[in-house]
């Protein structure tokens, strides 16, 4: 058994499609369900704090980039930033909430776009947390000596799910043409783009050593909180999954759209806080040692009682150390953490020896990932 | 705030979130969150809750009587708590009756296995000299009041289409979070720093949480 090697992030890359779309233009871009303005749009925007985002689908429904193209573009940029060529890459792990296809795995589609010869691939599908699943796979491949250059990408093409045709004529829209809140909020929250990292066993100037990636699932306690593929009321019963009734009936039942349960989200947030404090209690995370805190969540939308709870339990990283790009690039699901990291690195704020804590909560079925990086 | 208090609050928060996760997995709460709750479930829940709410003020009083002169402030705080809460079980009875239940049933019902264990544990702890570990028990039980009661109350009301009068204990019993934590911090400051006391508070919270969950599990095994 040979010794484990360290893994370093030596390059980051981001791809955001098209021009930024401001809050005023959003609904024109996505389309209006039954021709009506959204009931929850303004509320959702106040809550999530997003002011601008990118879409890979034009208002007429045509597509500027597939998710595979966006993801491949982010990998190219990350390789470039690392001073590497495509042929140097030997392993690619992908993350997405929804690939372009149902089958096969999304990593195959990204590889097909990327070229780069024969590769090892791994596809991770979850929600935001899939980013760290893919990153852990790439990191462990390097750590174990299986590969010398591994990339992890993550991307979302959410807007295609938000077209009126995804909701109209389904049980999610009432007789007056109003869309259920479980669906409407997400339309104003999620947008498109991709991010990627490249991992190598050798440090370079500016590289970030991965100290750990811990992923905690609490799915044994909670029903699905953000899901697609089952109706709202019966989602906890796997027999209600869309494929059991077929695509047409599932669509009519409102089982195909992306949905989120906000009542349950409150409980899931408490569970995330518990999982985080557990890491603090074990000494795995030492808040005082964190120089930059990247949370896939906006500090603004963290309710005051959660912040005060974190302060009371010696778990809060002071807000001036939080770094977020949510306001200007939107919530890009699994890609968000790489977009944040890329912008942080390029902002030149990171000094050698500094520690970066990345926290990726996933409401899907109560999962949270933690990654600690240390600048070389 | 002292490091000792922050450490205890952190450990207690972890215990509470684990506890909440365990409750979510119980058959009774799963039925509630999945919209399958029935009136019989609610009434069975109130019956067990009544025993534990009635005991609450009693074990607090007993605990207060075992606190020495060096900790008079804590003794006063527990006594005030006991006075505030010692009639709350009557509100539960009224809810039970308003939901269509018979007063004699809720007043004469037996505790289930979990309620028996919880009650015995509380009185056992309260009978010790300076039973400061019970702050951990208060954290769990008051946390339920401030964090879960309203959420459950709203679900019960919506699912069963009950009038407010039948869900008053759950809907209006929870006070606001911030005040609850501030008051708790004041009580912690009266007994910390002390490693042995800190450990006992956390342990008592763990046992109380487990037995409380057992009480809920036993309502609908």
């Amino acid at each position: 058994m040979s010794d484990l090697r360290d893994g370093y992030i030596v390059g980051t890359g981001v791809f955001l499609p098209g021009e930024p779309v401001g809050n005023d233009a959003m609904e024109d871009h996505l389309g209006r369900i039954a021709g009506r303005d959204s009931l929850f749009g303004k509320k959702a925007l106040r809550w999530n704090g997003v002011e601008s985002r990118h879409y890979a689908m034009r208002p007429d429904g045509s597509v500027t980039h597939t998710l595979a193209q966006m993801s491949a573009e982010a990998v190219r940029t990350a390789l470039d930033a690392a001073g590497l060529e495509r042929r140097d890459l030997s392993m690619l792990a992908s993350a997405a909430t929804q690939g372009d296809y149902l089958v096969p795995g999304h990593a195959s589609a990204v590889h097909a776009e990327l070229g780069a010869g024969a590769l090892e691939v791994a596809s991770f599908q979850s929600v935001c947390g899939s980013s760290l699943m893919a990153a852990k796979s790439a990191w462990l491949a390097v750590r174990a000596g299986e590969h010398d250059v591994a990339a992890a990408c993550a991307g979302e093409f959410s807007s295609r799910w938000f077209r009126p045709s995804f909701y109209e004529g389904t049980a999610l829209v009432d007789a007056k043409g109003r869309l259920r809140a479980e669906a409407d909020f997400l339309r104003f929250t999620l947008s498109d783009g991709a991010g990627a990292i490249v991992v190598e066993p050798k440090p370079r100037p500016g590289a970030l050593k991965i100290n750990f990636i811990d992923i905690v699932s609490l799915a044994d306690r909670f029903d699905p909180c953000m899901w697609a593929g089952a109706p709202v009321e019966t989602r906890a019963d796997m027999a209600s999954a869309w494929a059991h009734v077929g695509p047409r009936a599932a669509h009519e039942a409102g089982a195909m759209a992306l949905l989120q349960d906000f009542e349950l989200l409150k409980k899931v947030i408490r569970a995330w806080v518990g999982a985080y404090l557990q890491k603090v209690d074990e000494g795995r995370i030492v808040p005082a040692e964190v120089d930059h805190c990247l949370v896939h969540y906006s500090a603004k939308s963290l309710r005051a009682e959660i912040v005060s709870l974190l302060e009371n339990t010696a778990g809060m990283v002071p807000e001036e150390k939080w770094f977020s790009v949510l306001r200007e690039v939107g919530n890009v699901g699994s890609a968000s953490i790489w977009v944040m990291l890329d912008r942080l690195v390029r902002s030149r704020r990171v000094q050698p020896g500094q520690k970066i804590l990345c926290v990726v909560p996933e409401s899907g079925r109560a999962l949270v990932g933690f990654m600690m990086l240390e600048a070389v | 705030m002292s490091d000792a208090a922050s450490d205890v609050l952190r450990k207690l928060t972890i215990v509470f979130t684990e506890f909440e996760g365990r409750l979510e997995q119980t058959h009774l709460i799963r039925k509630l969150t999945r919209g399958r709750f029935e009136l019989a479930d609610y009434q069975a829940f109130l019956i067990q809750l009544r025993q534990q709410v009635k005991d609450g003020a009693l074990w607090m009083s007993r605990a207060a009587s075992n606190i020495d002169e060096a900790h008079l402030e804590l003794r006063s705080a527990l006594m005030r708590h006991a006075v505030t809460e010692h009639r709350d079980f009557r509100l539960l009875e009224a809810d039970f009756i308003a939901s269509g239940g018979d007063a004699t049933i809720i007043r004469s019902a037996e505790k289930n296995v979990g309620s028996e264990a919880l009650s015995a544990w509380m009185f056992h702890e309260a009978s010790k000299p300076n039973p400061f570990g019970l702050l951990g028990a208060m954290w769990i039980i008051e946390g339920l009041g401030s964090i879960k009661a309203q959420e459950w109350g709203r679900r019960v009301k919506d699912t069963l289409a009950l009038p407010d009068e039948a869900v008053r204990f759950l809907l209006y019993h929870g006070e606001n979070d911030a005040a609850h934590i501030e008051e708790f911090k004041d009580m912690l400051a009266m007994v910390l720093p002390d490693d042995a006391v800190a450990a006992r508070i956390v342990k008592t919270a763990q046992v109380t949480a487990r037995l409380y969950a057992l009480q809920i599990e036993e309502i609908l095994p």
Side-chain angles (χ1 to χ4, degrees):
Chain A
M1 177 75 199
S2 57
D3 286 344
L4 288 177
R5 307 188 294 185
D6 279 326
Y8 298 85
I9 296 176
V10 292
T12 59
V14 165
F15 180 80
L16 297 167
E19 293 301 310
V21 176
N23 288 359
D24 300 344
M26 261 187 92
E27 239 181 323
D28 294 333
H29 199 104
L30 292 173
R32 285 172 173 75
I33 286 119
R36 296 176 48 133
D37 285 2
S38 161
L39 281 176
F40 301 104
K42 285 194 169 63
K43 195 172 171 188
L45 290 168
R46 267 201 308 280
W47 186 75
N48 64 33
V50 177
E51 292 172 13
S52 159
R53 75 283 296 144
H54 294 257
Y55 291 128
M57 187 173 261
R58 297 190 190 93
D60 66 4
S62 61
V63 172
T64 65
H65 303 81
T66 65
L67 180 56
Q69 285 169 334
M70 293 191 264
S71 305
E73 208 50 59
V75 174
R76 279 189 203 105
T77 310
L79 283 166
D80 215 31
L84 293 164
E85 310 263 340
R86 262 184 292 174
R87 64 166 178 271
D88 297 320
L89 189 67
S90 64
M91 192 259 182
L92 171 69
S94 77
T97 303
Q98 301 278 353
D100 295 301
Y101 292 147
L102 292 174
V103 177
H106 180 60
S108 301
V110 180
H111 180 201
E113 287 295 336
L114 189 64
L119 289 179
E120 175 165 335
V121 295
S123 302
F124 291 87
Q125 186 272 318
S126 198
V127 198
C128 309
S130 60
S131 54
L132 292 189
M133 297 174 190
K136 188 157 188 173
S137 171
W139 172 54
L140 292 181
V142 168
R143 233 166 123 55
E146 292 262 321
H147 293 282
D148 288 335
V149 180
C153 64
E156 304 292 356
F157 191 158
S158 305
S159 65
R160 59 187 168 193
W161 283 71
F162 299 150
R163 310 290 301 167
S165 59
F166 260 74
Y167 310 99
E168 287 167 349
T170 77
L172 297 170
V173 179
D174 69 12
K176 292 182 176 163
R178 290 173 306 193
L179 178 62
R180 277 185 81 139
E182 286 93 340
D184 210 5
F185 259 99
L186 290 176
R187 299 180 74 231
F188 289 83
T189 300
L190 301 172
S191 54
D192 309 342
I197 55 169
V198 173
V199 183
E200 274 191 296
K202 298 186 292 288
R204 310 170 68 233
L208 305 168
K209 178 168 163 254
I210 299 176
N211 284 351
F212 63 78
I213 298 175
D214 291 353
I215 295 167
V216 184
S217 163
L218 303 164
D220 58 341
R221 300 140 216 227
F222 301 104
D223 284 340
C225 183
M226 181 177 162
W227 75 99
V232 178
E233 283 74 16
T234 55
R235 70 184 185 275
D237 176 10
M238 281 299 168
S240 74
W242 72 273
H244 302 163
V245 295
R248 185 188 299 270
H251 172 66
E252 284 166 5
M256 297 308 288
L258 203 56
L259 300 160
Q260 186 169 43
D261 177 335
F262 296 95
E263 277 304 303
L264 180 52
L265 184 60
K266 290 176 193 162
K267 292 184 231 179
V268 169
I269 290 171
R270 280 197 295 274
W272 289 334
V273 170
Y276 168 74
L277 289 176
Q278 183 94 47
K279 294 287 172 195
V280 173
D281 207 55
E282 290 163 358
R284 184 78 157 165
I285 294 172
V286 182
E289 290 178 0
V290 174
D291 299 291
H292 305 279
C293 185
L294 274 51
V295 184
H296 173 49
Y297 202 75
S298 86
K300 258 180 36 183
S301 56
L302 263 187
R303 301 218 309 277
E305 71 248 35
I306 298 281
V307 173
S308 105
L309 180 65
L310 288 170
E311 283 165 350
N312 279 322
T313 53
M316 185 68 182
V317 174
E319 210 180 317
E320 62 268 19
K321 294 184 175 179
W322 285 44
F323 179 85
S324 170
V325 292
L326 186 72
R327 192 168 52 85
E328 55 268 35
V329 300
N331 180 333
V332 200
S334 63
S336 276
I337 196 69
W338 306 139
V339 178
M340 275 194 272
L341 187 64
D342 181 78
R343 297 277 169 108
L344 177 73
V345 167
R346 289 172 202 269
S347 75
R348 308 213 172 275
R349 287 178 211 215
V350 183
Q351 305 298 319
Q354 286 193 327
K355 285 191 172 165
I356 304 168
L357 171 65
C358 301
V359 182
V360 185
E362 165 175 312
S363 64
R365 198 153 182 167
L367 177 143
V368 57
F370 306 98
M371 176 170 65
M372 188 69 84
L373 305 173
E374 195 172 344
V376 175
Chain B
M1 203 170 82
S2 75
D3 287 353
S6 298
D7 283 349
V8 167
L9 275 174
R10 183 172 61 250
K11 289 176 195 295
L12 287 176
T13 302
I14 294 167
V15 173
F16 189 88
T17 52
E18 284 288 320
F19 169 52
E20 187 178 10
R22 189 187 276 274
L23 287 179
E24 286 289 317
Q25 293 174 74
T26 61
H27 190 188
L28 184 86
I29 301 300
R30 279 249 195 266
K31 277 185 88 173
L32 181 63
T33 52
R34 292 176 180 177
R36 298 184 177 279
F37 214 59
E38 291 159 37
L39 185 61
D41 299 327
Y42 179 49
Q43 292 181 338
F45 175 64
L46 290 181
I47 285 172
Q48 295 308 320
L49 205 57
R50 175 191 179 272
Q51 316 309 331
Q52 177 250 298
V53 168
K54 194 174 82 152
D55 281 351
L58 303 181
W59 62 252
M60 271 188 223
S61 310
R62 183 181 296 190
S65 74
N66 281 313
I67 290 176
D68 65 18
E69 289 172 27
H71 300 87
L72 276 184
E73 271 311 307
L74 185 63
R75 190 196 284 176
S76 298
L78 285 180
M79 284 174 166
R80 280 195 301 271
H81 262 273
V83 169
T84 309
E85 293 180 16
H86 88 112
R87 292 168 181 268
D88 279 356
F89 72 95
R90 289 283 182 228
L91 184 61
L92 267 166
E93 289 176 0
D95 283 355
F96 184 82
I97 294 160
S99 76
D102 182 337
T104 53
I105 289 181
I106 193 167
R107 285 178 187 155
S108 62
E110 275 197 23
K111 291 175 182 166
N112 73 25
V113 170
S115 302
E116 289 282 6
L118 182 64
S119 180
W121 156 252
M122 292 300 197
F123 285 112
H124 168 74
E125 279 301 293
S127 304
K128 295 176 174 177
N130 283 334
F132 302 147
L134 283 171
L135 289 177
M138 289 171 75
W139 174 262
I140 294 296
I141 289 173
E142 303 215 343
L144 279 171
S146 64
I147 294 171
K148 301 301 289 181
Q150 275 197 344
E151 173 210 318
W152 286 345
R154 279 198 304 270
R155 293 290 297 187
V156 166
K157 191 172 168 317
D158 294 348
T159 310
L160 301 176
L162 286 168
D164 270 11
E165 299 75 78
V167 201
R168 283 183 308 165
F169 180 85
L170 289 177
L171 286 179
Y172 307 119
H173 181 258
E175 66 268 73
N176 80 49
D177 260 0
H180 158 73
I181 284 200
E182 285 310 310
E183 192 186 11
F184 192 79
K185 272 161 51 180
D186 291 344
M187 288 197 286
L188 280 182
M190 297 170 194
V191 297
L192 297 177
D194 179 324
D195 289 351
V197 168
R200 192 64 199 166
I201 289 172
V202 175
K203 181 68 178 285
T204 306
Q206 287 169 329
V207 176
T208 305
R210 184 62 195 95
L211 296 179
Y212 197 105
L214 186 63
Q215 167 186 286
I216 302 291
E217 283 164 27
E218 290 288 329
I219 293 172
L220 268 187

